[in-house]
Amino acid sequence: MDIIMKVVGLITEYNPFHNGHAYHLNEAKRATGADYVVVVMSGNFVQRGTPAFLDKYSRTKMALKCGADLVFELPVCFSTASAEYFALGAVSLLEKLGIVDYICFGSESGDISLLTSISDLLLTESHGFKQIFKEAVKAGKTFPEARADSIKALLPEVSDEFLSSPNNILGIEYIKALKRLQSTIKPITITRKATAYHSQELDTDDTFAISSATAIRKTLKEGNTLNNLRRHVPAPAFAIMEEQFEKTFPIFEEDFSLLLHYKFMLEDRQTLLQYTDINSDLANRILRMYSEYESFPDLALSIKSRQWTLTRINRALIHILLNHRQDNFLTYQQKGFTQYARILGFKKESSHLLRKIVKNERIPVITKLGDAKNKLSKIGLTMLNEDLYAANLYNQVVFHKLGTPLKDEYTKGIIIS
């Protein structure tokens, strides 16, 4: 007879794993009473449209050392998508595992009731909502601005700050995804502690510093020593950073600049329109700008406008670099989003969870890439091939920059902690 157990799912990037992530993981277990933590984590490219600061296997080790039981990779087509599709890809994976009872996410508000009310409003899109939205667009508002106006008109208790907070936005999308997929998984939110998601500066608290991943990355990008980060990262995670520093990381957008420039030399307006998130206006703007830029960030900044945010541009450039085609992405949506569960790592004592997922047979579980062709549909293999291409490209950049050869995806083993 199966032992009754509670499992909480976390949707993460851990770019890199820091004290705030440790707090979230422990609070998720406490708030839900969960016995186990299953993590869906972005691979080597992340949702803000950039390469990961630290490779996915190092981040998997960090997660397992700091309390996670299983870590699955979010396919790159979703890890680099907008908040809506990032959420749908990750939630669909957690749902198909068949063992997850809760999803726990951090938010600036900590108000699950209000986040749920907004998600319901966005899902139903009442006549009143549509009318307000239409008028806002007609007045020259961008899509996010028009949507925010519509929400505030119908839910007066919602503020601009609430709707501009990145973790609130993701939380709304997680709840929407759960409802859209008719999932029985229960959403739980924890109020984010201390520094803001995009804070540029390290926390100065001497007792328990919680700094944003943005601040941590910026610290090393500015030439500071790794030791500056010791107080901001849990000891087991910091030990992994010490081991890998200047061997496999840090990796930044600039490191992909030459590859991106070469890619644009092969493109024209018609081919650009085949990629995810590229429309006619954006394709024209890219073609006007690309020949003069010096780096990936320079190009993104030159394209950025009131119409397109920097993150939106970064994601578009990553889709071009990684050959993410719009027609494939539409098919993924029609076929139920994430097509497989690729395990990156697990704790030995939690291996029974993996066996239970396999036994459930709700999603193909990839433990050996060589077996994938016998487990996956044609569209599943297309999705997996995008992951493999992204990983190989990332590994080549690591080798070019730092001189460290990384094993390819077929020879790199699962992380067992």
Side-chain angles (χ1 to χ4, degrees):
M1 184 175 71
D2 287 342
I3 298 173
I4 297 174
M5 57 187 181
K6 290 183 180 179
V7 178
V8 61
L10 307 183
I11 300 169
T12 71
E13 291 186 333
Y14 294 157
N15 190 35
F17 195 100
H18 56 63
N19 289 342
H21 295 133
Y23 171 81
H24 173 226
L25 194 153
N26 291 325
E27 280 295 292
K29 292 187 74 172
R30 184 198 62 76
T32 60
D35 305 291
Y36 300 99
V37 177
V38 173
V39 169
V40 172
M41 187 184 77
S42 298
N44 287 337
F45 294 86
V46 298
Q47 203 262 335
R48 63 192 182 94
T50 63
F53 176 70
L54 187 65
D55 74 274
K56 62 187 178 184
Y57 293 106
S58 295
R59 289 182 286 124
T60 296
K61 289 179 185 177
M62 290 176 169
L64 295 172
K65 291 291 185 183
C66 294
D69 292 284
L70 301 181
V71 180
F72 290 94
E73 180 175 4
L74 179 62
V76 70
C77 59
F78 298 116
S79 75
T80 57
S82 67
E84 179 181 9
Y85 291 106
F86 176 89
L88 280 162
V91 170
S92 69
L93 175 49
L94 287 172
E95 168 65 22
K96 291 173 184 178
L97 296 178
I99 64 166
V100 177
D101 301 291
Y102 305 95
I103 287 177
C104 185
F105 54 88
S107 66
E108 288 82 3
S109 76
D111 187 341
I112 195 70
S113 177
L114 188 52
L115 292 167
T116 301
S117 294
I118 296 170
S119 71
D120 288 340
L121 189 64
L122 294 174
L123 278 172
T124 56
E125 287 196 346
S126 65
H127 176 71
F129 181 95
K130 289 179 180 177
Q131 281 298 108
I132 298 166
F133 183 87
K134 184 178 179 181
E135 290 301 317
V137 171
K138 192 182 292 184
K141 298 287 184 73
T142 64
F143 177 88
E145 290 169 342
R147 190 167 83 159
D149 284 356
S150 306
I151 292 169
K152 288 184 294 180
L154 297 172
L155 295 172
E157 65 270 38
V158 178
S159 66
D160 285 324
E161 183 182 6
F162 189 104
L163 292 174
S164 63
S165 300
N167 288 281
N168 286 345
I169 293 168
L170 272 175
I172 292 164
E173 294 299 341
Y174 294 146
I175 297 169
K176 277 177 58 186
L178 288 169
K179 291 174 178 289
R180 180 170 169 180
L181 298 171
Q182 299 181 325
S183 174
T184 58
I185 297 173
K186 183 178 180 181
I188 303 288
T189 191
I190 293 170
T191 306
R192 279 182 59 86
K193 285 179 70 72
T195 55
Y197 181 79
H198 290 305
S199 173
Q200 297 282 319
E201 304 303 324
L202 294 176
D203 187 7
T204 57
D205 192 315
D206 290 331
T207 55
F208 186 62
I210 297 184
S211 297
S212 71
T214 301
I216 289 171
R217 294 190 298 267
K218 178 173 176 278
T219 297
L220 287 190
K221 194 170 187 177
E222 291 177 345
N224 294 287
T225 66
L226 190 63
N227 202 50
N228 288 78
L229 302 178
R230 188 178 296 274
R231 290 192 308 109
H232 306 269
V233 177
F238 189 78
I240 293 166
M241 291 180 76
E242 282 188 306
E243 179 185 314
Q244 297 301 320
F245 184 54
E246 295 185 339
K247 293 179 183 176
T248 62
F249 92 103
I251 297 296
F252 300 108
E253 301 97 296
E254 290 90 336
D255 300 317
F256 287 78
S257 297
L258 188 59
L259 285 171
L260 187 62
H261 195 92
Y262 173 73
K263 188 72 167 64
F264 280 129
M265 292 174 64
L266 305 176
E267 306 291 346
D268 58 30
R269 184 178 178 279
Q270 290 305 311
T271 59
L272 286 179
L273 291 174
Q274 297 175 17
Y275 297 115
T276 308
D277 283 343
I278 307 292
N279 61 23
S280 182
D281 289 343
L282 184 53
N284 290 337
R285 190 167 175 84
I286 288 171
L287 289 172
R288 286 199 305 270
M289 301 292 188
Y290 93 87
S291 62
E292 299 177 4
Y293 84 95
E294 293 184 2
S295 70
F296 187 128
D298 289 339
L299 177 59
L301 282 170
S302 70
I303 297 170
K304 177 182 176 295
S305 68
R306 189 176 182 279
Q307 182 180 359
W308 298 300
T309 66
L310 185 59
T311 300
R312 167 77 167 76
I313 296 301
N314 280 336
R315 284 199 296 265
L317 296 179
I318 284 293
H319 293 321
I320 295 167
L321 183 64
L322 299 181
N323 296 320
H324 288 176
R325 292 172 55 93
Q326 181 68 28
D327 55 352
N328 287 337
F329 195 65
L330 289 172
T331 304
Y332 302 154
Q333 296 172 48
Q334 295 162 3
K335 297 295 183 180
F337 302 97
T338 300
Q339 300 294 301
Y340 48 83
R342 186 174 177 208
I343 184 77
L344 292 177
F346 63 91
K347 283 183 180 174
K348 287 180 183 178
E349 60 266 33
S350 305
S351 59
H352 62 284
L353 289 177
L354 192 56
R355 291 194 295 272
K356 187 175 177 66
I357 294 166
V358 173
K359 185 178 178 181
N360 285 339
E361 295 185 333
R362 292 179 58 176
I363 188 170
V365 178
I366 306 300
T367 55
K368 293 182 180 179
L369 278 175
D371 297 335
K373 63 182 178 181
N374 299 320
K375 292 185 174 184
L376 300 184
S377 64
K378 182 179 178 181
I379 195 64
L381 285 171
T382 299
M383 183 180 287
L384 181 62
N385 284 332
E386 289 180 357
D387 289 352
L388 300 183
Y389 179 83
N392 289 336
L393 194 68
Y394 186 93
N395 289 353
Q396 287 301 312
V397 168
V398 169
F399 179 68
H400 176 77
K401 179 180 181 179
L402 300 168
T404 303
L406 298 177
K407 290 183 178 180
D408 67 33
E409 295 292 274
Y410 283 90
T411 55
K412 178 69 178 179
I414 294 171
I415 305 297
I416 303 175
S417 181

